[in-house]
Protein backbone atom coordinates (compact mmCIF):
# COMPACT_ATOMS: atom_id res chain seq x y z
CA UNK A 1 0.00 0.00 0.00
CA UNK A 2 2.69 2.50 1.01
CA UNK A 3 5.24 2.01 -1.78
CA UNK A 4 2.70 1.83 -4.64
CA UNK A 5 0.98 5.12 -3.84
CA UNK A 6 4.11 7.17 -3.06
CA UNK A 7 5.56 7.53 -6.59
CA UNK A 8 2.19 8.59 -8.00
CA UNK A 9 1.82 11.18 -5.25
CA UNK A 10 5.34 12.54 -5.91
CA UNK A 11 4.59 12.76 -9.64
CA UNK A 12 1.42 14.67 -8.82
CA UNK A 13 3.35 17.16 -6.69
CA UNK A 14 5.97 17.73 -9.38
CA UNK A 15 3.32 18.13 -12.07
CA UNK A 16 1.30 20.71 -10.13
CA UNK A 17 4.26 22.83 -9.01
CA UNK A 18 3.59 26.44 -10.01
CA UNK A 19 5.75 29.50 -10.24
CA UNK A 20 4.95 31.99 -7.51
CA UNK A 21 5.28 35.71 -8.05
CA UNK A 22 6.79 37.36 -4.95
CA UNK A 23 4.84 40.57 -5.58
CA UNK A 24 1.43 38.93 -5.10
CA UNK A 25 1.72 38.62 -1.28
CA UNK A 26 3.03 42.20 -1.18
CA UNK A 27 -0.03 43.35 -3.14
CA UNK A 28 -2.30 41.43 -0.79
CA UNK A 29 -0.68 43.07 2.26
CA UNK A 30 -0.98 46.53 0.71
CA UNK A 31 -4.64 45.83 -0.08
CA UNK A 32 -5.29 44.75 3.50
CA UNK A 33 -3.45 47.80 4.86
CA UNK A 34 -5.35 50.28 2.70
CA UNK A 35 -8.63 48.56 3.57
CA UNK A 36 -7.85 48.77 7.29
CA UNK A 37 -6.87 52.44 7.03
CA UNK A 38 -10.07 53.20 5.10
CA UNK A 39 -12.25 51.48 7.66
CA UNK A 40 -10.53 53.34 10.50
CA UNK A 41 -11.05 56.64 8.67
CA UNK A 42 -14.75 55.93 8.21
CA UNK A 43 -15.08 54.96 11.85
CA UNK A 44 -13.43 58.21 12.99
CA UNK A 45 -15.78 60.24 10.82
CA UNK A 46 -13.39 61.27 8.06
CA UNK A 47 -15.53 60.02 5.21
CA UNK A 48 -13.64 61.86 2.45
CA UNK A 49 -10.34 60.22 3.36
CA UNK A 50 -12.10 56.89 3.88
CA UNK A 51 -13.66 57.12 0.41
CA UNK A 52 -10.28 57.88 -1.18
CA UNK A 53 -8.71 54.95 0.62
CA UNK A 54 -11.50 52.62 -0.51
CA UNK A 55 -10.91 53.71 -4.10
CA UNK A 56 -7.18 53.13 -3.62
CA UNK A 57 -7.95 49.65 -2.28
CA UNK A 58 -9.90 48.80 -5.42
CA UNK A 59 -6.97 49.94 -7.59
CA UNK A 60 -4.40 47.98 -5.57
CA UNK A 61 -6.62 44.90 -5.49
CA UNK A 62 -7.13 45.09 -9.25
CA UNK A 63 -3.38 45.41 -9.80
CA UNK A 64 -2.76 42.37 -7.60
CA UNK A 65 -5.26 40.25 -9.54
CA UNK A 66 -3.80 41.47 -12.84
CA UNK A 67 -0.35 40.51 -11.58
CA UNK A 68 -1.55 36.99 -10.69
CA UNK A 69 -3.24 36.49 -14.07
CA UNK A 70 -0.28 37.98 -15.93
CA UNK A 71 2.16 35.71 -14.12
CA UNK A 72 0.05 32.64 -14.87
CA UNK A 73 -0.29 33.62 -18.53
CA UNK A 74 3.43 34.40 -18.86
CA UNK A 75 4.44 31.00 -17.52
CA UNK A 76 2.03 29.15 -19.78
CA UNK A 77 -0.93 28.55 -17.46
CA UNK A 78 -3.61 30.30 -19.50
CA UNK A 79 -6.48 30.80 -17.02
CA UNK A 80 -9.05 31.04 -19.83
CA UNK A 81 -7.96 27.90 -21.62
CA UNK A 82 -10.37 25.00 -21.30
CA UNK A 83 -8.88 21.77 -20.05
CA UNK A 84 -9.15 18.72 -22.25
Amino acid sequence: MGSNSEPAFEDFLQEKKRVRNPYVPVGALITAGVLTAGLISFRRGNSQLGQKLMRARVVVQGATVALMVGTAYYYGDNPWQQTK
Side-chain angles (χ1 to χ4, degrees):
M1 181 174 150
S3 63
N4 289 340
S5 64
E6 288 179 298
F9 183 69
E10 289 174 3
D11 291 340
F12 175 75
L13 286 178
Q14 289 178 354
E15 184 178 319
K16 291 292 182 181
K17 194 169 189 175
R18 296 178 187 226
V19 177
R20 297 187 188 266
N21 190 328
Y23 297 116
V24 172
V26 172
L29 286 173
I30 292 171
T31 301
V34 173
L35 174 63
T36 303
L39 291 173
I40 290 170
S41 295
F42 273 124
R43 191 166 190 126
R44 290 185 179 172
N46 192 350
S47 60
Q48 285 183 333
L49 178 61
Q51 188 66 33
K52 287 180 184 179
L53 287 168
M54 288 299 133
R55 289 178 183 155
R57 178 198 55 88
V58 170
V59 170
V60 173
Q61 191 172 8
T64 303
V65 170
L67 187 63
M68 289 188 309
V69 171
T71 301
Y73 190 76
Y74 180 77
Y75 286 105
D77 290 339
N78 186 344
W80 294 282
Q81 183 180 11
Q82 293 182 356
T83 58
K84 294 180 182 180

